[in-house]
Amino acid sequence: MPEAFRADGIDMRTRHRVEEIDAKRALVTVTDLEAGRTYTESYDQLLIATGARASPLKAAVSPTAPPTVQLRTLADADCIANMLIGVRKLVVLGGGYIGLEMAETARKLGLDVAVVEMASHVIPTFDEAVSKLVEEELRRNNVQLFTGSRVVELDSGHVVLDNGERIAADMVLVATGVRPSTTLATATGVKLGATGAIAVSHRMSTNVKRIYAAGDCAESRHVVSDRPVWMPLGDVANRHGRVAGTNMAGGNATFPGVLGTAIFRVFDLAVARTGLSHADASAAGLFPVSEMIKAPSRARYMSGSKTVHIHLTVDRLSGRLLGCQVVGADAVDKTIDTVAAAIWGKLTASDLLDLDLAYAPPFSPVFAPVQVAGEVLGKVTRTMRNELAATVMGYMF
Ligand code: NAD
């Protein structure tokens, strides 16, 4: 991998750690970890791309507690795979993306799996109706769920919850989220935003001259709420990097923002989201209305047709699309990508019905699930507008 970069003229130095950035003199102090040597290197432009780190476990750990692991790097994955030999009961702390992906993998390896999630439902950044479908799928696959629970102690062969419940465990996987790695940045005077990640301009520059930031350590602006958000996602990091790199090389690029579009698989279901959840939209001062609809993924008489559940959130008066979450065993990725593009284009729920989408029975019903959702929310918002108009007229006359 470093060789591939070097072949492209990039002086990639692995096993080198930056200790300090001297922004006044435009110097970085670096330790060569193999040679044990520290030296300084000058820069014209500097990119901070220090990523995120896994949140540590906050619980008392007894000396005889089961081993705990975190999944951050490929090396962690290899290490976990080796440690799983002989393990029968795995407890996963955190019901987010990594927790659920690991729960599925462990069940497929034949382990007993329990997931502990402190929020009232798994994947708490999704709306509850969607999380409930995911919870049903987990239970259907014999994953034990403990929601609304926090771990207070890892004891001999057990995980102890705040309600006193004890779950047997041979091994514990901690997947309780990530935080931006910003120690180097703050020591250099680089400002953080309200999210705790590095505040950046549309050009991905920081408040310190000639220093840029990109990836999981940096904020983005949300396209719908127009607020700074922290979205530690791989595709966002790549898009950040292109913009920062172009500007650092003398070009002129701007980062247009994020919708937080994401997808993951849990057993037979794909689960995806884009834009704001209902709760996010309310918190952003908007007036959302949401509906959950279900529709077949293909013409009903075609084999492979599955139910697609769409939770669509729109502005209650204008009908403008604000966010969407999709769960199902078919057509989830194309549905979420269609809505992501529609939100980006500032379309309304009713516009979805007018989209000219690909139709043939093996691929879609005549009206795609996304159009059914658009039709339902379009009607809801039209009714609300009419009621509002009637009320206003009532006051006037
Ligand atoms: P996450 O933020 O998705 O989930 C962490 C979960 O742990 C949350 O549900 C949170 O409520 C819960 N939690 C926090 N503290 C807890 C505690 N003490 N006890 C019980 N539950 C607790 O984070 P993750 O799953 O660790 O994933 C890390 C990052 O990787 C995320 O930012 C995610 O976006 C990214 N990721 C994305 C994908 C994808 O897009 N497909 C896949 C894997 C990872």
Side-chain angles (χ1 to χ4, degrees), residues 376-394:
V376 170
L377 265 302
K379 271 190 194 145
V380 169
T381 55
R382 271 195 301 281
T383 307
M384 285 181 167
R385 275 198 302 276
N386 291 342
E387 281 172 2
L388 181 70
T391 310
V392 172
M393 298 283 273

Side-chain angles (χ1 to χ4, degrees), residues 57-60 91 93 115-120 146-155 158-167:
L57 171 68
K58 291 185 196 122
V91 175
L93 306 184
V115 174
V116 180
E117 166 57 53
M118 71 176 181
S120 59
F146 297 84
T147 51
S149 310
R150 205 184 275 269
V151 173
V152 286
E153 193 184 348
L154 300 189
D155 195 7
H158 287 88
V159 166
V160 186
L161 304 186
D162 49 2
N163 59 8
E165 221 165 338
R166 293 169 68 82
I167 313 168

Side-chain angles (χ1 to χ4, degrees), residues 77-91:
D78 288 340
C79 179
I80 293 170
N82 289 330
M83 287 174 74
L84 279 177
I85 297 163
V87 167
R88 246 179 14 91
K89 293 174 184 156
L90 176 73
V91 175

